[in-house]
Amino acid sequence: AHATHARRAIVAGGGQLGLEAARGLVSRGLEVDVVHSGPHLLHGQLDPEGGDVLRRHVEALGIAVHTGLHVSAVHPQSGQLRAVKLSDGYLLDCDVFVIACGSRPAVRLAVAAGLGTAGGIVVDDQLRTDDETIHAIGDCAQHRGIEGNQAWTAWAQADVLADVLLGSDARYVAGQQVVRLRAAGIDVAAVGEPVATECDDQLGTDVVRLRNPARGSYKRLAFRDNRLVGGVLVGDTDGAAALAAALARPWLPASPAALLLGTAAAAARRESGDASAFPDNAPVCACN
């Protein structure tokens, strides 16, 4: 409702939600700036080259991008927001300020109780803290070094914990990560392991990249032990479902190049003959 009468908007956060919010605001006719503290947009899922391609798509929509900076102060006037101040001292005029810069696990209670924390509350495969009578699930928990910041993670952990509390020896196994950014003109899909941003190619991991300036697309696939362990698609996400299916298999398809060239779906049909050949746990849709 406020955006209806606004002129300029600032979005703090260049992740999935921040970019979707920025796209929605610019579609309503506002001038929009995205301020992102990371080195590039979606830095948790994309490498620098993928981030550069994404930035070009975002700027082509009329959205200004400021990376490596954060909002340090807001400047109201007569009770109304007038500007925000960036960490480099620069002022950006605005009358809408959207905060979408992520979350941090709430661990204060756990720390006070003497439980182990490392970002989140550390839990084992049965979601127990270092006090076996106390469990943690969802956004506050950290399992095998990974914080659960997705709703489906909490749901899966809740199912396992229910079994554990009923006396089962159930164990939580983290599912494959699937990130889809869906906003008109901004197409990104990332599956499997997040990309390494500082040490790009991990030990024992083969990485293949394909950038197509004509189509404004970028693809990056990571292979280890003769299987796909992660993939990123920017600008051309038609092969996302096939990537997710390949990720669930302990082997590579007969033509791995098909995954990179966007013909993976056709290759999978030729290879399997019909959909019934996919494993029972192969994801078909990850849009909701």
Side-chain angles (χ1 to χ4, degrees), residues 36 43 45 68 94 97 109 123 136 143 151 158 162-163 168 177 190 196 222 225 232 249 252 259 276 283 286 288:
H36 185 58
H43 69 276
Q45 288 78 37
C94 69
F97 180 38
L109 179 62
V123 297
H143 173 260
D163 289 338
S168 165
Q177 296 190 33
D225 298 328
V232 165
R249 297 178 174 180
L252 286 176
L259 292 172
S276 64
N288 190 3

Side-chain angles (χ1 to χ4, degrees), residues 126-218:
Q126 290 197 305
L127 305 166
R128 299 172 298 190
T129 65
D130 49 14
D131 180 332
E132 293 190 359
T133 64
I134 301 176
H135 299 76
I137 66 172
D139 291 5
C140 70
Q142 181 171 312
H143 173 260
R144 293 182 179 265
I146 299 176
E147 297 166 9
N149 58 1
Q150 299 284 342
W152 53 263
T153 302
W155 297 336
Q157 290 177 346
D159 287 341
V160 171
L161 181 53
D163 289 338
V164 169
L165 295 177
L166 290 172
S168 165
D169 190 39
R171 306 275 169 166
Y172 172 70
V173 178
Q176 65 183 50
Q177 296 190 33
V178 179
V179 175
R180 291 298 301 266
L181 195 162
R182 296 176 184 234
I186 310 176
D187 295 312
V188 178
V191 302
E193 297 180 2
V195 300
T197 53
E198 294 182 7
C199 181
D200 193 33
D201 299 351
Q202 300 176 18
L203 184 64
T205 303
D206 295 321
V207 176
V208 182
R209 302 174 183 81
L210 177 65
R211 182 167 182 173
N212 186 338
R215 297 188 62 179
S217 65
Y218 173 76

Side-chain angles (χ1 to χ4, degrees), residues 42-59:
L42 279 181
H43 69 276
Q45 288 78 37
L46 303 182
D47 59 355
E49 191 171 3
D52 178 63
V53 174
L54 175 59
R55 179 173 186 149
R56 292 171 186 266
H57 282 280
V58 172
E59 290 178 336

